[in-house]
Amino acid sequence: MTTLPRTPLRVPLRLLLLLAGLVACLRYLFAEIARLKGGLGLPLDDGFIHLQFARNLAHGAGLSYNPGDFVTGSTAPLWTALLSLFFLLPGNPIAWAKLLGAVLYLAGIDATWRLARQLDLGPGLSALASGLTLMTSWLVWSALSGMEIPLFVLLSLWGMILHLRERSEPARPPLSLAVLAAAVLARPEGVLLLLLAFLDRFLVRRPPVRILLTGAALAVCAVAGSFLFYAWAGGSVLPTTYAAKGGGEVRHFLPDFRYLANVLGLFFRPQPWATLLAAGGAMA
């Protein structure tokens, strides 16, 4: 009687990365539960502000912090809308928000892999890129913070993935522009990616005019509602917190240089080598 040779079980790198991301989230969650003696909380008051907006939206009071008093204080209306769904479900909305953040964080790790592969990187470098996303302290923290960061990361990554696919096949529907416009509704700085995508299409690849107009229409449809609400409720297409996001006093829509230095510090401290190598990658 002959026996078949045993083949070693090979676990895909992507699965290992997702499991490692799940372990990181669980460690953060268990540490929080232990510190709060069995309770759940959020590390910033911003998370509770999001939930307050979401509660009023779910109860029919619109985008308001105090019911009936419309304000333009939310720079992440898409995140607010997603959180509002949890007030229609049984259980603690904070727990649901943490679960959603963790799922989006894990999806962002997978999207980093897909973006690297779309850039023709091999499995090893793709795993390295996903690992850097996994190990970036701010991203792990944001997964359970009740903040919109994991949503913005995921939409930005998928917008870039779709953009690269459409770049190689100009006749494809311009879905990337709609996804990048949705990222603007998660964090306003997503406008930069959206503008860069338009410039790349217009100046480099020159797709058919019909495709370009379709992409512009999709992007406008995605962001128009929020901008019109800001203009109606606050008298400006920008939310009232734009100045805070831009570092205080804003001149000609440009942020303060000291604020930019703080932002660059956020990039540099968790991943100094990746930040330095990013400049080389851009040049390449």
Side-chain angles (χ1 to χ4, degrees):
M1 181 177 179
T2 59
T3 59
L4 294 175
R6 293 183 178 180
T7 57
L9 178 63
R10 299 183 62 183
V11 181
L13 277 174
R14 287 168 62 188
L15 179 59
L16 289 175
L17 288 165
L18 292 176
L19 289 174
L22 179 61
V23 170
C25 289
L26 290 176
R27 289 193 63 181
Y28 184 97
L29 179 63
F30 291 153
E32 177 186 286
I33 292 175
R35 188 174 183 85
L36 297 178
K37 295 179 171 42
L40 287 177
L42 297 175
L44 289 177
D45 57 352
D46 298 54
F48 291 102
I49 293 172
H50 279 306
L51 287 172
Q52 178 66 12
F53 274 104
R55 177 188 290 111
N56 288 333
L57 185 61
H59 294 161
L63 274 176
S64 60
Y65 189 82
N66 297 312
D69 184 15
F70 294 109
V71 292
T72 61
S74 175
T75 55
L78 180 58
W79 180 245
T80 301
L82 290 175
L83 291 180
S84 68
L85 300 176
F86 299 145
F87 288 92
L88 306 177
L89 299 176
N92 187 345
I94 293 179
W96 284 113
K98 288 180 179 293
L99 177 60
L100 176 61
V103 170
L104 292 172
Y105 164 70
L106 295 177
I109 295 172
D110 180 72
T112 304
W113 169 282
R114 293 174 184 271
L115 177 60
R117 297 294 285 162
Q118 192 67 42
L119 290 168
D120 295 326
L121 297 182
L125 288 177
S126 299
L128 175 62
S130 297
L132 289 173
T133 298
L134 188 158
M135 294 184 294
T136 300
S137 57
W138 284 104
L139 296 183
V140 181
W141 168 86
S142 71
L144 300 171
S145 68
M147 298 294 289
E148 72 279 3
I149 299 169
L151 175 63
F152 174 71
V153 169
L154 181 62
L155 290 173
S156 299
L157 288 170
W158 266 105
M160 288 185 275
I161 293 168
L162 293 173
H163 178 77
L164 289 171
R165 292 176 181 176
E166 294 159 12
R167 222 172 177 265
S168 59
E169 300 178 44
R172 288 175 65 108
L175 299 178
S176 64
L177 298 176
V179 174
L180 291 173
V184 178
L185 302 181
R187 288 188 70 89
E189 53 265 41
V191 169
L192 178 59
L193 280 175
L194 182 61
L195 292 177
L196 289 174
F198 267 111
L199 285 175
D200 181 67
R201 285 172 172 272
F202 185 74
L203 299 178
V204 180
R205 290 294 172 175
R206 293 293 180 92
V209 175
R210 175 181 57 83
I211 297 293
L212 194 61
L213 291 178
T214 301
L218 290 173
V220 169
C221 288
V223 300
S226 293
F227 287 170
L228 289 174
F229 170 77
Y230 293 149
W232 171 74
S236 170
V237 294
L238 299 174
T240 54
T241 47
Y242 176 78
K245 294 283 186 181
E249 185 180 356
V250 179
R251 298 185 181 90
H252 306 295
F253 296 94
L254 296 176
D256 184 84
F257 285 111
R258 288 175 296 179
Y259 180 75
L260 283 178
N262 290 334
V263 171
L264 292 176
L266 294 180
F267 281 103
F268 191 77
R269 282 193 296 271
Q271 300 286 359
W273 298 112
T275 305
L276 291 173
L277 290 172
M283 293 175 63

